[in-house]
């Protein structure tokens, strides 16, 4: 999900941390109101969003995080009876998040005794069997990305008999042109080597530029997993992830932009690992449900990965 750090870095660290996250999505299927239709021109979009993340944990309850997305998109689409190919790239809309620990619980730890070198037993404190936490997210997204592609909406003309494009200016823009509020939560649970987490984020859109206003957006990501390795230095596990998004239709010149609403659900595996100060993750998302409005080019698959470092 844009704006979120890799899941392997969601543990609460003290001090500074940085992360690099990548999301690649291939859009190549044409749907009309949730039904697949032919794609005679082979129109598609490849979208790469690289998130640069810098954060600082102020204390045991509060942390600040800055997200800066670098966006690159390649596309092919019909334009009348011609074919338009191109690329767009640059800085997207930056955001700042306040992370607040609303709840944290750990069951009482266990103490065992070990004999070392034939000497007296040594007390060893074990990690709690059960932990749980709830982190609240509040933030602000700034219109730092170039939104000039939205101006294409003023000049779009449907040519009779020509194939219809499912890729428009609102799909290619680097920014929304609006100040947006971000609200969400991160829930994490662990019982011994079993774990589950879920992130929910709601984006409240402000007024945009070019008489175009993006709709509010709700996204979610998470699921159950198991750590095959878990010790104070090294963690490695596998997670089954369910993620998705719901967005109503945008508005252009005060009227609904009918080809912009979507509800999507992805499923797939995620591998997570950490070693000392480093954490990495990689996941694959395949769509199992896409319900869209009007004609759109929708995702065929999504790849995400990330690496983070505690300083």
């Amino acid at each position: 999900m844009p704006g979120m750090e890799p899941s392997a870095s969601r543990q609460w660290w003290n001090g500074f941390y940085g992360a690099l996250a990548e999301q690649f999505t291939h859009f190549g299927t044409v749907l009309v109101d949730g039904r697949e239709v032919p794609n005679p021109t082979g129109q598609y979009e490849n979208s790469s969003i690289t998130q640069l993340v810098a954060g600082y944990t102020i204390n045991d309850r509060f942390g600040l995080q800055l997200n800066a997305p670098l966006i690159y998109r390649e596309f092919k689409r019909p334009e009348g009876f011609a074919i338009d190919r191109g690329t767009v790239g640059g800085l997207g809309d930056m955001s700042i998040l306040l992370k607040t620990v609303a709840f944290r619980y750990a069951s009482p730890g266990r103490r065992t005794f070990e004999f070392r070198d034939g000497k007296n037993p040594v007390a060893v404190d074990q990690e709690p069997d059960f932990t749980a936490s709830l982190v609240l997210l509040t933030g602000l997204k700034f219109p730092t990305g170039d939104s000039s592609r939205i101006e294409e909406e003023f000049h779009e003309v449907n040519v009779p008999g020509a194939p219809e494009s499912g890729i428009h200016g609102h799909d290619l823009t680097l920014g929304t042109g609006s100040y947006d509020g971000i609200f969400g939560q991160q829930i994490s649970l662990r019982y011994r080597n079993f774990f589950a987490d879920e992130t929910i984020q709601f984006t409240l859109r402000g007024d945009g530029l070019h008489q175009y206003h993006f709709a509010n957006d709700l996204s979610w990501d998470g699921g159950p997993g198991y750590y095959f390795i878990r010790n104070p230095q090294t963690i490695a596990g596998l997670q089954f992830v369910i993620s998705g998004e719901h967005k109503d239709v945008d508005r252009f010149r005060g009227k609904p932009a009918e080809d912009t609403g979507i509800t999507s659900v992805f499923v797939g595996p995620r591998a997570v690992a950490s070693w000392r100060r480093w954490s990495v993750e990689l996941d694959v998302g395949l769509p199992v449900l896409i319900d869209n409005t009007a004609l759109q080019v929708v995702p065929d698959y999504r790849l995400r990965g990330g690496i983070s470092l505690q300083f």
Side-chain angles (χ1 to χ4, degrees), residues 44-267:
Y44 71 88
E45 178 187 340
N46 290 327
S47 173
S48 170
I49 302 176
T50 304
Q51 291 275 2
L52 305 178
V53 178
Y56 179 71
T57 302
I58 301 171
N59 52 39
D60 289 341
R61 286 185 54 83
F62 299 103
L64 288 174
Q65 180 173 300
L66 178 67
N67 300 328
L70 302 177
I71 301 173
Y72 179 82
R73 294 189 172 113
E74 175 193 10
F75 65 91
K76 173 187 175 184
R77 62 183 178 178
E79 193 170 80
F81 290 100
I83 296 295
D84 178 30
R85 299 173 183 265
T87 61
V88 295
L91 178 67
D93 288 345
M94 299 176 64
S95 61
I96 187 167
L97 290 173
L98 172 65
K99 306 171 73 173
T100 304
V101 177
F103 173 79
R104 179 186 291 146
Y105 172 79
S107 63
R110 294 177 293 112
R111 172 169 291 186
T112 60
F113 294 88
E114 297 181 0
F115 290 89
R116 299 176 180 176
D117 300 326
K119 298 180 180 179
N120 293 330
V122 177
V124 178
D125 291 326
Q126 304 293 326
E127 286 189 336
D129 283 343
F130 178 77
T131 62
S133 67
L134 170 63
V135 178
L136 302 181
L137 306 173
T138 51
L140 181 65
K141 184 184 73 62
F142 305 93
T144 53
D146 182 6
S147 62
S148 60
R149 275 279 179 174
I150 299 177
E151 295 179 349
E152 291 183 8
E153 306 290 335
F154 288 100
H155 312 297
E156 288 188 349
V157 177
N158 289 327
V159 179
E164 186 177 350
S165 174
I167 302 173
H168 306 278
H170 59 260
D171 300 301
L172 299 175
T173 184
L174 301 178
T176 63
S178 61
Y179 289 90
D180 303 333
I182 300 173
F183 308 92
Q185 64 180 29
Q186 294 176 341
I187 301 173
S188 299
L189 302 171
R190 181 185 61 79
Y191 177 71
R192 296 187 177 177
N193 282 27
F194 293 94
F195 71 95
D197 64 42
E198 183 71 29
T199 296
I200 301 174
Q201 180 173 298
F202 176 73
T203 303
L204 180 64
R205 303 291 186 184
D207 292 336
L209 300 176
H210 318 297
Q211 302 181 51
Y212 195 97
H213 305 283
F214 284 83
N216 299 335
D217 185 273
L218 176 68
S219 60
W220 60 90
D221 176 284
Y226 183 80
Y227 292 123
F228 298 99
I229 301 173
R230 188 175 67 85
N231 59 55
Q233 296 294 326
T234 306
I235 290 175
L238 190 64
Q239 184 179 14
F240 177 75
V241 177
I242 303 174
S243 60
E245 175 189 22
H246 172 74
K247 185 176 80 68
D248 203 348
V249 296
D250 304 338
R251 300 189 68 82
F252 178 54
R253 290 178 167 177
K255 298 180 179 180
E258 297 295 346
D259 57 349
T260 56
I262 192 168
T263 298
S264 61
V265 178
F266 292 77
V267 300

